[in-house]
Amino acid sequence: MSQTKLYRMPFFAAYWREALADSHKVKQLVFAALMIAMARALSLIPSIPIAHTKLSFGFLARALCALVCGPVLGMIYGFSEDILGYILQPQGEFFFGYTLSTMAGVLVYALCFYRARITVWRLTLANLLVNVLVNAVLGSLWTMMIRGGGYWGWFVVSLSKNLATIVPKVLLLYILFQALLPILQRAGIMPRQLSDKGRLSFI
């Protein structure tokens, strides 16, 4: 499961061939299953109140799975995690739109992290895209379909909440990746990512 080649952008045929190949590897499948279990465990931890919203920790498992497993297996993971999460911890009525949002969120993380040089800029960009495009734009659509009302009313509220959690999510991912990237490097999963000072680069 050596991951030696990095890409600046995910718009290469070789990138997607490797992502497809990784989606069939036993170690990646096991890792994805472990991340589902991790997501379920993290969901039991109380959310952190931030301004007028709360930050839960499930995104950490999704981002880590995206980093290691890539966009193809990552979307399969997102589907499985959402469905199993509802079965194990049902909250309200099931709506498939939120499953699509989970899959889209993992896909965005994968496009930013998989086979890429991890930097603070990438962590920020990934969370900005997930919070705005997936959580606010798509999430407001699902809320409108379920509860009714105008789209823009839901969007403004959702966007303000999601913007408030971007910086805390970046900080938590920075701490997680800073700790785990050397371990993944020693395991042959990732090439060296940290600088000579043992830190992630800013850009």
Side-chain angles (χ1 to χ4, degrees):
M1 193 168 56
S2 179
Q3 200 173 56
T4 56
K5 186 174 182 180
L6 298 180
Y7 297 85
R8 290 182 61 86
M9 301 290 287
F11 309 119
F12 298 94
Y15 173 96
W16 290 98
R17 284 197 297 268
E18 292 176 12
L20 182 61
D22 276 350
S23 70
H24 295 88
K25 293 179 180 178
V26 174
K27 288 185 178 180
Q28 258 89 355
L29 291 169
V30 171
F31 189 88
L34 289 174
M35 289 304 99
I36 291 177
M38 178 180 171
R40 292 302 92 218
L42 290 172
S43 69
L44 301 177
I45 301 176
S47 301
I48 301 175
I50 298 176
H52 49 287
T53 187
K54 293 183 179 180
L55 175 63
S56 57
F57 297 95
F59 77 97
L60 294 172
R62 296 169 186 172
L64 189 55
C65 183
L67 170 72
V68 174
C69 299
V72 178
L73 182 55
M75 287 191 290
I76 298 172
Y77 159 87
F79 175 85
S80 303
E81 188 229 303
D82 188 82
I83 298 298
L84 288 175
Y86 181 79
I87 293 174
L88 296 174
Q89 297 170 301
Q91 295 180 355
E93 295 183 2
F94 175 78
F95 183 70
F96 189 68
Y98 293 115
T99 304
L100 294 177
S101 287
T102 302
M103 296 170 67
V106 180
L107 174 61
V108 171
Y109 278 133
L111 294 178
C112 290
F113 299 153
Y114 177 74
R115 300 292 175 101
R117 175 67 61 187
I118 306 301
T119 62
V120 175
W121 161 245
R122 280 189 177 270
L123 295 178
T124 305
L125 176 64
N127 283 290
L128 179 64
L129 292 174
V130 169
N131 279 30
V132 174
L133 297 182
V134 179
N135 296 347
V137 174
L138 280 182
S140 299
L141 177 61
W142 310 143
T143 303
M144 182 187 70
M145 293 174 66
I146 295 172
R147 301 182 182 178
Y151 175 83
W152 293 108
W154 292 115
F155 175 76
V156 170
V157 173
S158 179
L159 181 63
S160 63
K161 291 181 178 180
N162 277 282
L163 289 177
T165 63
I166 290 176
V167 173
K169 288 175 71 173
V170 171
L171 291 175
L172 288 173
L173 273 182
Y174 179 89
I175 294 170
L176 178 68
F177 282 13
Q178 184 81 28
L180 293 184
L181 283 174
I183 299 174
L184 295 175
Q185 177 189 344
R186 290 193 293 271
I189 298 173
M190 299 286 296
R192 182 177 179 180
Q193 293 276 7
L194 304 184
S195 67
D196 294 336
K197 295 182 179 180
R199 299 176 183 174
L200 288 173
S201 301
F202 183 79
I203 298 178

